[in-house]
Amino acid sequence: MDQIELLPSQLARRNWIILAFLLLASLPFGNLGLSIGDGDSLIDAAETIELFVSINNTGSVDASSVSALLSSDEEYVTIIDSLATIGSIAAGELVSLSEAFLFDVAEDIPDLYAIPFHIKLMDSNGHQWETDFFLPAHNKSVISGYV
């Protein structure tokens, strides 16, 4: 399982660390997970990916009714489930979401392509925190470099 640390926007009122976990299981829909892939822990062409996140409120103020919205303007990605309901996160608390986001990867994605994503966190008081990150994708059917 890969772990990626995302840094919060400099305009954020509270400090957040978002850890994104990829689980790429070789399981069909309806079993233990929703990922459809070859189980190699990589984002590959034509796979369905579950993106799990952990959010750490490193600030000194509790956040209530927190939700997260995942987006990408990328043509090679179709987000299936973009909204995660987190609930309350106490100051200093780390909350892990076991079923956060779900997206499909196009068959024609270039090899070693950096997929851009954006996560926006919102709470019941109208506070928002946003960050951008990239996840690498692979396409074994595309030959890169010299043969």
Side-chain angles (χ1 to χ4, degrees), residues 50-53 68 81-85 97-102:
E50 290 178 84
L51 179 64
F52 298 91
V53 296
D81 186 359
S82 63
L83 184 63
T85 302
L97 305 176
S98 61
E99 298 177 15
F101 307 108
L102 189 65

Side-chain angles (χ1 to χ4, degrees), residues 39-81:
D40 65 358
S41 296
L42 299 173
I43 297 175
D44 293 322
E47 289 187 332
T48 298
I49 307 299
E50 290 178 84
L51 179 64
F52 298 91
V53 296
S54 293
I55 300 170
N56 187 3
N57 179 355
T58 60
S60 59
V61 179
D62 295 350
S64 60
S65 301
V66 178
S67 61
L69 181 65
L70 179 73
S71 61
S72 179
D73 292 331
E74 182 50 56
E75 65 181 295
Y76 299 113
V77 171
T78 302
I79 298 178
I80 299 167
D81 186 359

